[in-house]
Amino acid sequence: MNSRKLLSETRRTFPAAKVPCQQPSRILVVDVTSPSWSNTCSVLSEALENTLCLACSLAGPCRVPLLSLYVVQNQQECLLPFTQVKENLARIQGCLSELRLLPGEGCFPQGGNGVVQAVQDGLQQFKQYSRHTAAGGLTNSSVEITILTSQASKEIVKQLEKKLKDIDLMSLRRIQVIEVLKRDFLEPEDVEQCISAEDPSSNIEILGMDIDVQTIEDNAISLEMLFKTWLHDYGTEREHLHLLLPSGGFSHAPVLRTTPMCLKCDLQERLLDPALLSGMADGTVRAAGLNPPCQMAAWPATALYKLQVVRALKSEGVCESVLYGLPFIIKPTSCWQLDWDELEINQHSFHALCHSLLKRKWMLLAKCEPQNTSPNWNIVVHSYYVIIPSDSATLLVKAVATRELLLPSTFPALLAEHPESVHGPVESALNSLEVEVAYNPLHLKSNLYKHLKSMLYKPLHRQQAQHRDQRPERHQPRQHQSKAKATVTPLLMSASPVHTFRPAAVRRDSCERSLLPKEYEEFLQ
C-alpha cells in the first residue's frame, strides 16, 4: 500500500502539460554475461524484432517512440543511441545483427557494475537528448528502463539503490529487472499467465519509486510477451471510461444516493486490431481515422467514454452471434490526477462489482453516451455494449448488435435420428482429432511477422527510385552535385546500415554522420 502511494505521488511530480506522445521512451539493457547467452541471444533478437515490426506497422503514433540499446560485457556499451523506431527500423535491424555476433557464453565474467553504469549512462543520454529535441518542439517527458540479466535480481536492485541515490530521477517512470532463467520444463501455455500475472511482492520500493522484478524463461514467446507490454497505452493523464451504475438505495447509507454511481476505469486492448496493420485488409480506412461512431478504441486514448448501465442480463441468455468487434479489458483507473483516497475507493468498488456479477452470474447491458454534442448532430446514434465479468479483477466489454444491424436468420431444429451410414464416418472423423482442454493462441502462427518484415524491409533504393520516377522533369536534381554528397546518397539508399553507430567511436566524416538523426547530430557537435 505504501509503495503504491509513493509511486502515485512520484507520478504527480510530472508536469500536467499536454504532451504529444504519452508513451515513454525505452532503454533496453542486455547483460550478455549469462552462462546460456548463445540461446538467449537468438530468442531475444527474434522477440525484439517481432515486437518492433508490429510497432512500426500499426497505424497512428508509434507506440515505441524512442529506443536505446545497451549491452553489458566487461563494461557497458551503447549499441544504439536514442533512435526514432518508426523511421529507423533498418538501422535497428543492423543493431540486432551486431548483437547476434557477440561471443557466446563463458567469454565474459559475471558480476561487476556494468548494468548500473549502463542505467546511469542511459539516463544521462535521455536527459541530453530531451534537452536538444525540446528546442525543435519535440518532447517526450519520461523513460522506462528494462534490464535483462541472468544475475540475481536482488543484487541488481542493491546496486541500483546504491548508485542512483544522487541522480535526478524525475524523468524515470519505471525500472524493470528481468531475471532470465533457462527452465525447459515450462510449457508454452504457462507463459502468458507467468508474464501477465503481477506479483505485488515483486515490486521493490527504492528512492520513492517502484522497481518491477520479474523472472521469465529464455524462450522467444516469453520475451516477446514481455516486449509486447510496450505496445499498451501508458498515458495516465486521465481515465478512459466512466461506468455509470443506477443510483439504487441502501438502507444502511446515511444519505440516499440520487446520482448514478460512477466507476472510473481504463481501457486496455486484448488484441491488436488487424485493420491497423499496414498491408492488411481495410487498413487504409482505419488509418485515416474514420472510426465508426458505434465503436470504442483503446488506442490512442483521446476520448472519455461513458457507459450507462441500463439493465442486467443472465450470462446464459446472451448469444455469441450478436456480439461483434474487438474485445477490450476494463480495469480500475490509475490516473495520477485523482486523489489517492478516491483511487482506493474506486478500486474497491470495482472489485465489489466484479464479485457481485460473478455471484449472480450476470452480465451488464450498457449504452454508450454520445461524445459529439455538436448542433450538427440532429440525430444521435447510440451504441450498446455487453460487460462480462471474469474471475480476475477485470471486466470484458464487447459491442452488441441492435435491431438495425440484425439480419434475419433461420435455425432449423436438429434431427433426432441419423442414418448410421452418415453418423459413423462423422464420429470417426471427430475421434481422430486431438482434443485440447482450452484454446491457446500461443500455439498458432499465421506468418504475420514474416509478412510485415517483407513489407518493412523493402530495399530503400527501390522506394527512392519510384519517387524519382514520379517527379516532374523540372525537379530533377542538377548534375553538378558535390563528390561528398554523391558518396552519402548510396549509403542512405542501402537496405540496412553497414555498421551500427556507437557514440564512443564517432567518425566526423559525412558518411557515418548520415546515419544519425538530425537532432542527435546537433547534440554530438
Side-chain angles (χ1 to χ4, degrees), residues 111-391:
N113 297 325
V115 172
V116 180
Q117 291 173 0
V119 171
Q120 292 174 309
D121 189 75
L123 289 173
Q124 181 65 21
Q125 182 193 164
F126 178 74
K127 183 178 180 181
Q128 294 173 342
Y129 185 93
S130 300
R131 184 186 304 120
H132 284 78
T133 55
L138 301 175
T139 57
N140 194 290
S141 59
S142 62
V143 63
E144 285 199 7
I145 300 176
T146 301
I147 301 170
L148 296 179
T149 180
S150 63
Q151 300 183 44
S153 55
K154 292 184 179 180
E155 293 299 322
I156 298 294
V157 171
K158 288 180 181 179
Q159 296 178 25
L160 291 171
E161 184 178 15
K162 181 179 179 181
K163 297 292 184 179
L164 299 184
K165 60 183 179 180
D166 298 325
I167 296 180
D168 181 14
L169 302 178
M170 290 294 292
S171 61
L172 180 59
R173 179 176 290 192
R174 183 175 63 154
I175 295 180
Q176 283 182 303
V177 179
I178 310 299
E179 189 174 348
V180 183
L181 299 178
K182 187 174 180 60
R183 293 186 290 180
D184 296 330
F185 58 86
L186 281 179
E187 296 294 333
E189 49 262 47
D190 300 327
V191 173
E192 185 178 9
Q193 181 179 1
C194 177
I195 293 295
S196 60
E198 185 174 346
D199 182 7
S201 63
S202 65
N203 290 336
I204 301 175
E205 181 189 344
I206 171 177
L207 306 174
M209 60 165 291
D210 282 352
I211 293 184
D212 182 18
V213 178
Q214 297 182 29
T215 300
I216 64 173
E217 184 191 1
D218 61 342
N219 61 43
I221 296 180
S222 299
L223 290 168
E224 184 179 305
M225 297 304 291
L226 170 69
F227 293 138
K228 277 184 177 179
T229 60
W230 296 357
L231 303 181
H232 281 306
D233 181 14
Y234 281 81
T236 56
E237 290 293 316
R238 66 175 181 179
E239 61 272 21
H240 305 159
L241 169 71
H242 284 178
L243 184 59
L244 305 175
L245 297 170
S247 57
F250 303 93
S251 58
H252 61 274
V255 179
L256 183 64
R257 180 188 292 271
T258 58
T259 58
M261 175 187 292
C262 177
L263 297 181
K264 298 180 179 180
C265 310
D266 291 336
L267 286 174
Q268 186 180 87
E269 293 167 296
R270 176 56 172 156
L271 310 170
L272 289 175
D273 188 351
L276 294 178
L277 292 169
S278 58
M280 305 299 287
D282 299 328
T284 54
V285 177
R286 294 298 302 274
L290 302 179
N291 292 325
C294 59
Q295 196 159 1
M296 293 191 299
W299 178 271
T302 56
L304 175 62
Y305 298 99
K306 294 183 179 181
L307 291 183
Q308 176 68 59
V309 176
V310 293
R311 67 186 61 143
L313 304 170
K314 290 287 187 179
S315 297
E316 64 273 12
V318 178
C319 179
E320 286 284 340
S321 67
V322 298
L323 303 180
Y324 68 94
L326 291 175
F328 293 104
I329 297 174
I330 302 179
K331 296 182 175 182
T333 185
S334 58
C335 174
W336 60 267
Q337 299 196 55
L338 299 180
D339 293 333
W340 176 253
D341 292 339
E342 184 178 0
L343 280 173
E344 192 172 25
I345 294 174
N346 184 77
Q347 185 179 49
H348 287 317
S349 300
F350 187 92
H351 284 219
L353 174 64
C354 296
H355 185 271
S356 297
L357 290 177
L358 277 177
K359 183 179 179 181
R360 296 169 183 248
K361 297 182 179 180
W362 280 5
M363 298 180 184
L364 297 178
L365 179 65
K367 179 175 68 174
C368 187
E369 297 293 332
Q371 300 175 33
N372 194 331
T373 57
S374 170
N376 296 330
W377 282 49
N378 297 325
I379 300 176
V380 177
V381 178
H382 293 285
S383 55
Y384 288 84
Y385 293 86
V386 169
I387 298 172
I388 307 169
S390 68
D391 55 1

Side-chain angles (χ1 to χ4, degrees), residues 49-50 53 449-458:
E49 187 176 20
N50 289 344
C53 282
Y449 289 138
K450 292 182 180 179
H451 168 73
L452 294 178
K453 290 174 186 178
S454 68
M455 300 288 293
L456 292 169
Y457 293 151
K458 286 182 178 179

Side-chain angles (χ1 to χ4, degrees), residues 114 128 196 211 300 333 411 439 461 489 498:
Q128 294 173 342
S196 60
I211 293 184
T333 185
F411 302 96
Y439 169 70
H461 66 273
T489 304
V498 179

